[in-house]
Protein backbone atom coordinates (compact mmCIF):
# COMPACT_ATOMS: atom_id res chain seq x y z
CA UNK A 1 0.00 0.00 0.00
CA UNK A 2 1.29 3.46 -0.90
CA UNK A 3 1.28 6.43 1.43
CA UNK A 4 -0.54 9.74 1.32
CA UNK A 5 2.29 12.25 1.23
CA UNK A 6 2.33 16.03 1.43
CA UNK A 7 5.50 17.45 -0.12
CA UNK A 8 6.75 20.95 0.71
CA UNK A 9 8.93 22.10 -2.17
CA UNK A 10 11.77 24.47 -1.32
CA UNK A 11 13.00 27.35 -3.44
CA UNK A 12 15.68 25.20 -5.11
CA UNK A 13 12.86 23.27 -6.78
CA UNK A 14 11.58 26.42 -8.53
CA UNK A 15 14.58 28.56 -9.45
CA UNK A 16 14.94 32.32 -8.99
CA UNK A 17 13.88 33.72 -12.38
CA UNK A 18 11.21 32.93 -14.96
CA UNK A 19 13.57 30.95 -17.24
CA UNK A 20 15.12 29.14 -14.24
CA UNK A 21 11.66 28.12 -13.03
CA UNK A 22 10.72 26.71 -16.43
CA UNK A 23 13.76 24.42 -16.27
CA UNK A 24 13.61 23.63 -12.55
CA UNK A 25 10.03 22.32 -12.65
CA UNK A 26 11.04 19.65 -15.18
CA UNK A 27 13.52 18.20 -12.70
CA UNK A 28 10.98 18.56 -9.89
CA UNK A 29 8.33 16.74 -11.93
CA UNK A 30 10.56 13.71 -12.48
CA UNK A 31 11.20 13.31 -8.74
CA UNK A 32 7.52 13.75 -7.82
CA UNK A 33 6.24 11.37 -10.49
CA UNK A 34 8.76 8.78 -9.27
CA UNK A 35 6.85 8.76 -5.98
CA UNK A 36 3.50 8.48 -7.74
CA UNK A 37 4.80 5.61 -9.85
CA UNK A 38 5.71 3.84 -6.61
CA UNK A 39 2.02 3.90 -5.67
CA UNK A 40 1.95 6.93 -3.38
CA UNK A 41 -0.74 9.61 -3.35
CA UNK A 42 0.99 12.99 -3.48
CA UNK A 43 -0.11 16.55 -2.71
CA UNK A 44 2.36 19.33 -3.49
CA UNK A 45 2.84 22.59 -1.59
CA UNK A 46 5.58 25.06 -2.41
CA UNK A 47 7.36 28.29 -1.55
CA UNK A 48 7.10 31.48 -3.60
CA UNK A 49 9.89 33.74 -2.29
CA UNK A 50 11.57 34.89 -5.52
CA UNK A 51 8.35 34.79 -7.54
CA UNK A 52 6.19 36.90 -5.23
CA UNK A 53 9.08 39.36 -4.97
CA UNK A 54 9.19 39.70 -8.77
CA UNK A 55 5.43 40.27 -8.88
CA UNK A 56 5.49 42.74 -5.99
CA UNK A 57 8.26 44.77 -7.64
CA UNK A 58 6.48 44.70 -11.01
CA UNK A 59 3.24 45.97 -9.49
CA UNK A 60 5.14 48.68 -7.60
CA UNK A 61 6.75 49.77 -10.87
CA UNK A 62 3.30 49.89 -12.49
CA UNK A 63 1.97 52.10 -9.69
CA UNK A 64 4.95 54.43 -10.07
CA UNK A 65 4.29 54.71 -13.81
CA UNK A 66 0.53 55.05 -13.39
CA UNK A 67 -0.41 56.30 -9.87
CA UNK A 68 -4.10 55.74 -10.61
CA UNK A 69 -3.46 51.99 -10.28
CA UNK A 70 -2.83 52.25 -6.54
CA UNK A 71 -0.63 49.84 -4.56
CA UNK A 72 -1.33 46.12 -5.06
CA UNK A 73 -2.02 44.30 -1.77
CA UNK A 74 0.49 41.60 -0.84
CA UNK A 75 -2.36 39.07 -0.72
CA UNK A 76 -3.10 39.74 -4.40
CA UNK A 77 0.60 39.33 -5.28
CA UNK A 78 0.52 36.01 -3.42
CA UNK A 79 -2.49 34.86 -5.43
CA UNK A 80 -0.73 35.80 -8.67
CA UNK A 81 2.36 33.85 -7.61
CA UNK A 82 0.31 30.73 -6.81
CA UNK A 83 -1.28 30.74 -10.25
CA UNK A 84 1.99 31.45 -12.07
CA UNK A 85 3.98 28.76 -10.24
CA UNK A 86 1.07 26.33 -10.48
CA UNK A 87 0.87 26.92 -14.23
CA UNK A 88 4.47 25.78 -14.70
CA UNK A 89 4.28 22.93 -12.17
CA UNK A 90 1.03 21.42 -13.40
CA UNK A 91 2.19 21.44 -17.01
CA UNK A 92 5.51 19.83 -16.03
CA UNK A 93 3.73 17.17 -13.94
CA UNK A 94 1.20 16.44 -16.67
CA UNK A 95 3.91 16.12 -19.30
CA UNK A 96 5.98 13.78 -17.13
CA UNK A 97 2.95 11.62 -16.30
CA UNK A 98 1.99 11.32 -19.97
CA UNK A 99 5.59 10.58 -20.99
CA UNK A 100 5.45 7.58 -18.64
CA UNK A 101 2.12 6.42 -20.00
CA UNK A 102 0.16 7.50 -16.92
CA UNK A 103 -3.07 8.99 -18.26
CA UNK A 104 -5.43 8.54 -15.32
CA UNK A 105 -4.13 11.25 -12.98
CA UNK A 106 -5.51 14.76 -13.59
CA UNK A 107 -3.34 17.65 -12.35
CA UNK A 108 -4.81 20.80 -10.83
CA UNK A 109 -3.62 23.95 -9.07
CA UNK A 110 -5.82 25.39 -6.32
CA UNK A 111 -5.41 29.03 -5.36
CA UNK A 112 -5.37 28.57 -1.60
CA UNK A 113 -6.35 30.88 1.25
CA UNK A 114 -5.14 30.20 4.78
CA UNK A 115 -6.87 31.69 7.79
CA UNK A 116 -4.75 33.47 10.38
CA UNK A 117 -5.65 35.08 13.69
CA UNK A 118 -5.59 38.90 13.45
CA UNK A 119 -4.62 38.86 17.16
CA UNK A 120 -1.51 36.76 16.45
CA UNK A 121 1.45 38.43 18.22
CA UNK A 122 3.35 38.32 14.91
CA UNK A 123 1.31 41.31 13.71
CA UNK A 124 2.81 43.39 16.52
CA UNK A 125 6.36 42.59 15.43
CA UNK A 126 6.59 42.25 11.61
CA UNK A 127 9.75 40.24 10.89
CA UNK A 128 9.66 39.25 7.21
CA UNK A 129 11.34 41.58 4.67
CA UNK A 130 9.74 41.67 1.24
CA UNK A 131 10.16 43.61 -1.98
CA UNK A 132 13.10 45.54 -3.32
CA UNK A 133 15.87 47.31 -1.40
CA UNK A 134 15.51 51.07 -1.09
CA UNK A 135 17.61 53.97 0.11
CA UNK A 136 16.53 55.53 3.40
CA UNK A 137 15.04 58.48 1.53
CA UNK A 138 13.10 56.21 -0.85
CA UNK A 139 11.91 54.08 2.06
CA UNK A 140 10.56 57.05 4.01
CA UNK A 141 8.72 58.36 0.95
CA UNK A 142 7.32 54.89 0.28
CA UNK A 143 6.18 54.53 3.89
CA UNK A 144 4.52 57.96 3.93
CA UNK A 145 2.53 57.11 0.78
CA UNK A 146 1.46 53.63 1.83
CA UNK A 147 1.60 53.47 5.61
CA UNK A 148 3.71 50.31 5.30
CA UNK A 149 6.40 49.52 7.85
CA UNK A 150 9.96 49.87 6.50
CA UNK A 151 13.20 48.98 8.28
CA UNK A 152 16.86 48.60 7.46
CA UNK A 153 17.69 45.05 6.40
CA UNK A 154 21.08 43.93 7.75
CA UNK A 155 22.90 46.97 6.39
CA UNK A 156 21.93 46.16 2.81
CA UNK A 157 19.27 48.83 2.44
CA UNK A 158 15.71 49.49 3.53
CA UNK A 159 12.77 47.15 2.84
CA UNK A 160 9.15 46.69 3.71
CA UNK A 161 8.49 44.33 6.63
CA UNK A 162 5.36 42.25 7.18
CA UNK A 163 4.13 39.81 9.82
CA UNK A 164 4.55 36.03 9.74
CA UNK A 165 1.56 34.62 11.66
CA UNK A 166 0.89 30.94 12.24
CA UNK A 167 -1.67 29.24 9.96
CA UNK A 168 -4.94 28.28 11.64
CA UNK A 169 -7.09 26.72 8.90
CA UNK A 170 -6.82 26.06 5.17
CA UNK A 171 -9.98 27.46 3.61
CA UNK A 172 -9.94 25.20 0.55
CA UNK A 173 -9.00 22.05 2.51
CA UNK A 174 -12.31 20.36 1.63
CA UNK A 175 -11.78 20.84 -2.10
CA UNK A 176 -8.17 19.70 -1.87
CA UNK A 177 -9.20 16.59 0.06
CA UNK A 178 -12.03 15.72 -2.32
CA UNK A 179 -9.87 16.05 -5.43
CA UNK A 180 -7.00 14.13 -3.83
CA UNK A 181 -9.29 11.28 -2.85
CA UNK A 182 -10.63 11.27 -6.41
CA UNK A 183 -7.10 10.64 -7.72
CA UNK A 184 -5.98 14.12 -8.73
CA UNK A 185 -2.45 15.43 -8.27
CA UNK A 186 -3.02 18.73 -6.45
CA UNK A 187 -0.71 21.76 -6.23
CA UNK A 188 -1.79 24.08 -3.43
CA UNK A 189 -0.83 26.29 -0.47
CA UNK A 190 1.73 28.17 -2.57
CA UNK A 191 3.98 30.42 -0.51
CA UNK A 192 2.29 29.27 2.69
CA UNK A 193 -1.12 30.23 1.32
CA UNK A 194 -2.77 33.64 0.97
CA UNK A 195 -3.19 34.84 4.58
CA UNK A 196 -6.75 35.90 5.30
CA UNK A 197 -8.88 36.62 8.35
CA UNK A 198 -12.61 36.73 8.91
CA UNK A 199 -14.39 40.06 9.16
CA UNK A 200 -18.12 40.75 9.31
CA UNK A 201 -20.46 37.98 8.16
CA UNK A 202 -18.60 35.59 5.86
CA UNK A 203 -16.03 37.92 4.33
CA UNK A 204 -12.37 36.90 4.16
CA UNK A 205 -9.93 39.81 4.06
CA UNK A 206 -6.34 39.48 2.86
CA UNK A 207 -3.69 40.20 5.47
CA UNK A 208 -0.37 41.97 4.85
CA UNK A 209 1.58 38.93 5.96
CA UNK A 210 3.62 35.93 4.87
CA UNK A 211 2.91 32.47 6.27
CA UNK A 212 5.86 30.10 6.58
CA UNK A 213 5.35 27.44 3.89
CA UNK A 214 6.64 24.63 6.13
CA UNK A 215 4.09 25.37 8.85
CA UNK A 216 1.34 25.63 6.24
CA UNK A 217 2.41 22.33 4.65
CA UNK A 218 2.30 20.70 8.08
CA UNK A 219 -1.23 21.96 8.65
CA UNK A 220 -2.22 20.72 5.19
CA UNK A 221 -0.80 17.27 5.99
CA UNK A 222 -2.84 17.17 9.19
CA UNK A 223 -6.05 18.30 7.49
CA UNK A 224 -5.61 15.69 4.74
CA UNK A 225 -4.80 12.94 7.26
CA UNK A 226 -1.51 12.28 5.46
CA UNK A 227 0.85 9.48 6.45
CA UNK A 228 3.99 11.46 5.73
CA UNK A 229 5.16 15.04 5.42
CA UNK A 230 8.28 15.53 3.31
CA UNK A 231 10.03 18.89 3.66
CA UNK A 232 12.52 19.36 0.87
CA UNK A 233 15.55 21.53 1.43
CA UNK A 234 19.11 22.15 0.22
CA UNK A 235 20.76 19.38 2.27
CA UNK A 236 20.32 15.61 2.30
CA UNK A 237 19.98 15.40 6.09
CA UNK A 238 19.63 17.61 9.12
CA UNK A 239 22.89 18.24 10.96
CA UNK A 240 23.94 19.32 14.42
CA UNK A 241 27.13 21.38 14.76
CA UNK A 242 26.52 22.33 11.13
CA UNK A 243 29.72 23.29 9.24
CA UNK A 244 31.87 22.71 12.32
CA UNK A 245 34.62 20.15 12.85
CA UNK A 246 32.27 17.98 14.90
CA UNK A 247 29.41 18.20 12.38
CA UNK A 248 27.01 15.24 12.68
CA UNK A 249 24.37 14.29 10.13
CA UNK A 250 21.22 12.80 11.65
CA UNK A 251 19.34 9.80 10.26
CA UNK A 252 16.48 10.18 12.74
CA UNK A 253 15.22 12.26 15.63
CA UNK A 254 12.42 11.87 18.12
CA UNK A 255 10.39 15.01 18.81
CA UNK A 256 12.06 15.34 22.20
CA UNK A 257 15.53 15.10 20.67
CA UNK A 258 14.61 17.69 18.06
CA UNK A 259 13.36 20.09 20.74
CA UNK A 260 16.55 19.62 22.74
CA UNK A 261 18.73 20.38 19.71
CA UNK A 262 16.58 23.42 18.91
CA UNK A 263 16.95 24.71 22.49
CA UNK A 264 20.73 24.37 22.06
CA UNK A 265 20.54 26.63 19.00
CA UNK A 266 21.53 23.86 16.57
CA UNK A 267 19.07 24.94 13.86
CA UNK A 268 19.24 28.33 12.15
CA UNK A 269 16.12 30.53 12.57
CA UNK A 270 14.44 31.23 9.24
CA UNK A 271 16.21 28.23 7.69
CA UNK A 272 16.31 24.76 9.28
CA UNK A 273 14.52 25.66 12.51
CA UNK A 274 10.99 26.11 11.06
CA UNK A 275 11.43 22.90 9.06
CA UNK A 276 12.29 20.94 12.19
CA UNK A 277 9.49 22.59 14.18
CA UNK A 278 6.94 21.75 11.47
CA UNK A 279 8.25 18.17 11.27
CA UNK A 280 7.92 17.75 15.04
CA UNK A 281 4.37 19.10 15.05
CA UNK A 282 3.30 16.65 12.35
CA UNK A 283 5.05 13.66 13.95
CA UNK A 284 3.23 14.34 17.22
CA UNK A 285 -0.17 15.08 15.66
CA UNK A 286 -1.21 11.41 15.41
CA UNK A 287 0.43 8.01 16.09
CA UNK A 288 2.21 6.51 13.09
CA UNK A 289 2.88 9.80 11.29
CA UNK A 290 6.39 10.48 9.98
CA UNK A 291 8.12 13.63 8.79
CA UNK A 292 11.13 13.52 6.49
CA UNK A 293 13.61 16.30 5.70
CA UNK A 294 15.84 15.75 2.67
CA UNK A 295 16.79 16.78 -0.86
CA UNK A 296 14.30 16.66 -3.72
CA UNK A 297 16.34 14.08 -5.63
CA UNK A 298 16.61 11.92 -2.48
CA UNK A 299 12.90 11.86 -1.62
CA UNK A 300 12.34 8.41 -3.10
CA UNK A 301 15.26 6.93 -1.12
CA UNK A 302 14.09 8.83 1.95
CA UNK A 303 10.65 7.22 1.85
CA UNK A 304 12.41 3.85 1.62
CA UNK A 305 14.42 4.70 4.74
CA UNK A 306 17.75 4.93 2.93
CA UNK A 307 18.53 8.59 3.57
CA UNK A 308 17.18 11.88 4.88
CA UNK A 309 16.31 12.71 8.48
CA UNK A 310 13.15 11.08 9.79
CA UNK A 311 11.24 12.62 12.69
CA UNK A 312 8.81 10.28 14.41
CA UNK A 313 7.71 9.28 17.88
Amino acid sequence: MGKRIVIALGGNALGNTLPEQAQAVKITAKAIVDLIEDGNQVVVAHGNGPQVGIINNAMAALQKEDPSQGFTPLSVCGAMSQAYIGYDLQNAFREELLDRGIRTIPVCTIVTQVEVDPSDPAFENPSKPIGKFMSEEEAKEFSSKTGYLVKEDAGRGWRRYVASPKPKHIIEAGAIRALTEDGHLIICCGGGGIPVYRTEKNHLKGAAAVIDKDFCSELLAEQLNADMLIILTAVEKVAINFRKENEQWLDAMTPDEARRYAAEGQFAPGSMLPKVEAAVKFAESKPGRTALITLLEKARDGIAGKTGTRIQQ
Side-chain angles (χ1 to χ4, degrees), residues 4 172-182 222-225:
R4 178 174 291 179
E172 288 77 20
I176 296 166
R177 185 184 304 109
L179 288 167
T180 299
E181 291 175 352
D182 197 42
E222 282 196 45
Q223 290 194 239
L224 295 183
N225 195 27

Side-chain angles (χ1 to χ4, degrees), residues 11 19 23 62 74 107 109 111 147 149 167 176 184 209 231 234-235 245-246 248 262 289 306 308:
Q23 290 301 313
L62 172 64
L74 183 59
V107 187
T109 297
V111 175
L149 174 67
I176 296 166
H184 291 61
I231 299 176
V235 291
E245 288 185 1
N246 57 342
Q248 180 183 348
R289 287 178 172 170
K306 297 178 182 178

Side-chain angles (χ1 to χ4, degrees), residues 6-10 43-47 186-191 213 216-217 220:
V6 169
I7 295 182
L9 294 177
V43 180
V44 177
H46 60 83
I186 300 300
I187 302 153
C188 59
C189 294
K213 72 108 171 49
C216 182
S217 299
L220 174 67

Side-chain angles (χ1 to χ4, degrees), residues 55-68:
I55 292 167
N56 186 70
N57 290 343
M59 301 309 289
L62 172 64
Q63 193 279 333
K64 192 171 183 179
E65 182 179 317
D66 180 4
S68 68

Side-chain angles (χ1 to χ4, degrees), residues 119-274:
S119 300
D120 190 306
F123 285 105
E124 297 178 11
N125 184 31
S127 60
K128 291 287 185 181
I130 64 165
K132 67 177 183 177
F133 288 97
M134 297 174 280
S135 68
E136 184 175 1
E137 183 180 349
E138 289 172 328
K140 289 180 177 178
E141 181 183 356
F142 173 72
S143 181
S144 67
K145 286 182 178 179
T146 62
Y148 296 157
L149 174 67
V150 293
K151 295 192 291 186
E152 192 174 16
D153 184 359
R156 297 178 295 174
W158 292 67
R159 298 177 79 185
R160 179 186 176 190
Y161 274 72
V162 298
S164 183
K166 290 291 190 295
K168 305 296 289 184
H169 175 68
I170 296 168
I171 301 298
E172 288 77 20
I176 296 166
R177 185 184 304 109
L179 288 167
T180 299
E181 291 175 352
D182 197 42
H184 291 61
L185 170 54
I186 300 300
I187 302 153
C188 59
C189 294
I194 303 162
V196 296
Y197 58 92
R198 297 179 188 273
T199 60
E200 68 283 351
K201 296 184 179 179
N202 295 312
H203 182 66
L204 294 173
K205 182 176 177 59
V210 175
I211 300 170
D212 185 283
K213 72 108 171 49
D214 297 316
F215 289 131
C216 182
S217 299
E218 188 283 327
L219 179 60
L220 174 67
E222 282 196 45
Q223 290 194 239
L224 295 183
N225 195 27
D227 302 298
M228 179 174 275
L229 169 66
I230 301 179
I231 299 176
L232 300 176
T233 187
V235 291
E236 187 169 342
K237 297 180 181 182
V238 178
I240 55 173
N241 304 313
F242 186 55
R243 291 179 176 169
K244 297 178 181 178
E245 288 185 1
N246 57 342
E247 180 180 74
Q248 180 183 348
W249 298 99
L250 304 174
D251 296 322
M253 289 187 287
T254 65
D256 286 342
E257 287 172 335
R259 274 190 287 267
R260 187 177 77 247
Y261 291 140
E264 293 172 358
Q266 292 285 358
F267 310 127
S271 178
M272 187 56 75
L273 182 60

